[in-house]
Amino acid sequence: MESLHAKQLGTSTPPESPQPVSSLRATAGTPASPAQGPSQPAHSIRREIRVWTRDLLIAIGLALVIIVFLYQPVKVEGTSMAPLLSDQERIFINKFVYRFEPIERGDVVVFWYPLDRTKSFIKRVVGLPGESVEIRQGVVYVNGKVVPEPYVPAQYEDLSDFGPVRVPKDSFFVMGDHRISSNDSRVFGPVSSRYIYGRAVFAYWPVDHFGSLDSAEAKTK
């Protein structure tokens, strides 16, 4: 500004050689883009919020897809699986688990009732294909060995005898935990694997039953 003011007064001060705008700014010690400094942190925060929002929406979408296509809510009717499951209890079953894993002893499975395929039953797997199942005074023997059943309370035991029977290939011997009140393989025989369409995995209602029904945990309940 001093050189401009001197020229206006008509002095003979030689004009300064012009300098690029960027050079003048640098000489004055002024930042090249002073307006961008304060806005950069705000811009970064907004970008982080957008990224987190996007990831959250993707996660929620994937969770909904998993619930809708992999799991199915069902309502338990009856008391044949008490005390693990009560009448009118709501649970989730995994519909695809047996496409990737074998059915194991102790699994709580849902299947089409062999005598009326419009109905579904839920029972526990006791005998596997090719095994011999026998019950003596309420104690279950598989291939001549006692099967521990901590999930069957003493007051629910059925002390009658049954068998022995050989479980056919690709079939499973199933029973309810409430032995004195269960219509199961002792009545309608082993269940073909093609009728079994899910495994009970989670209880969500009533609230006091909220929790996992994973086979590893269910075996000890």
Side-chain angles (χ1 to χ4, degrees):
M1 295 294 295
E2 290 178 350
S3 61
L4 292 174
H5 181 64
K7 188 175 181 180
Q8 291 173 353
L9 292 178
T11 61
S12 60
T13 304
E16 294 181 331
S17 60
Q19 296 182 5
V21 174
S22 60
S23 176
L24 289 172
R25 289 178 179 173
T27 303
T30 305
S33 54
Q36 295 181 3
S39 65
Q40 286 180 348
H43 176 73
S44 177
I45 291 174
R46 287 195 298 269
R47 184 175 182 279
E48 288 293 329
I49 291 174
R50 286 197 298 269
V51 170
W52 279 101
T53 302
R54 180 200 63 191
D55 292 347
L56 179 61
L57 292 175
I58 291 174
I60 292 174
L62 289 175
L64 291 175
V65 169
I66 291 172
I67 291 174
V68 170
F69 293 101
L70 297 185
Y71 293 92
Q72 175 182 333
V74 299
K75 180 176 70 174
V76 177
E77 295 182 352
T79 60
S80 70
M81 280 302 295
L84 178 67
L85 300 173
S86 59
D87 186 32
Q88 304 302 307
E89 184 166 346
R90 270 70 168 178
I91 66 173
F92 280 113
I93 65 170
N94 187 322
K95 298 184 293 185
F96 289 89
V97 61
Y98 292 131
R99 296 189 181 188
F100 309 102
E101 300 177 9
I103 299 173
E104 297 181 350
R105 192 186 334 277
D107 285 0
V108 178
V109 298
V110 180
F111 56 93
W112 301 114
Y113 180 37
L115 304 183
D116 183 355
R117 297 177 194 174
T118 64
K119 299 179 181 178
S120 293
F121 276 22
I122 181 167
K123 306 291 179 183
R124 189 185 298 275
V125 174
V126 174
L128 304 178
E131 294 182 336
S132 173
V133 178
E134 183 179 6
I135 302 174
R136 306 175 200 161
Q137 296 183 342
V139 179
V140 177
Y141 293 80
V142 173
N143 293 338
K145 297 181 180 180
V146 174
V147 176
E149 295 187 296
Y151 40 79
V152 180
Q155 65 269 29
Y156 291 167
E157 292 179 353
D158 182 351
L159 301 181
S160 61
D161 296 337
F162 176 85
V165 297
R166 179 73 61 179
V167 182
K169 180 182 178 181
D170 295 327
S171 295
F172 297 85
F173 196 92
V174 299
M175 290 197 291
D177 292 351
H178 194 173
R179 296 290 159 79
I180 57 177
S181 181
S182 176
N183 179 18
D184 50 39
S185 288
R186 294 171 294 177
V187 177
F188 52 74
V191 178
S192 172
S193 60
R194 70 177 183 272
Y195 293 156
I196 298 174
Y197 64 88
R199 184 177 73 194
V201 292
F202 198 86
Y204 66 92
W205 189 264
V207 176
D208 59 343
H209 283 199
F210 186 91
S212 174
L213 296 174
D214 183 72
S215 297
E217 299 179 17
K219 291 175 186 176
T220 60
K221 287 187 177 181

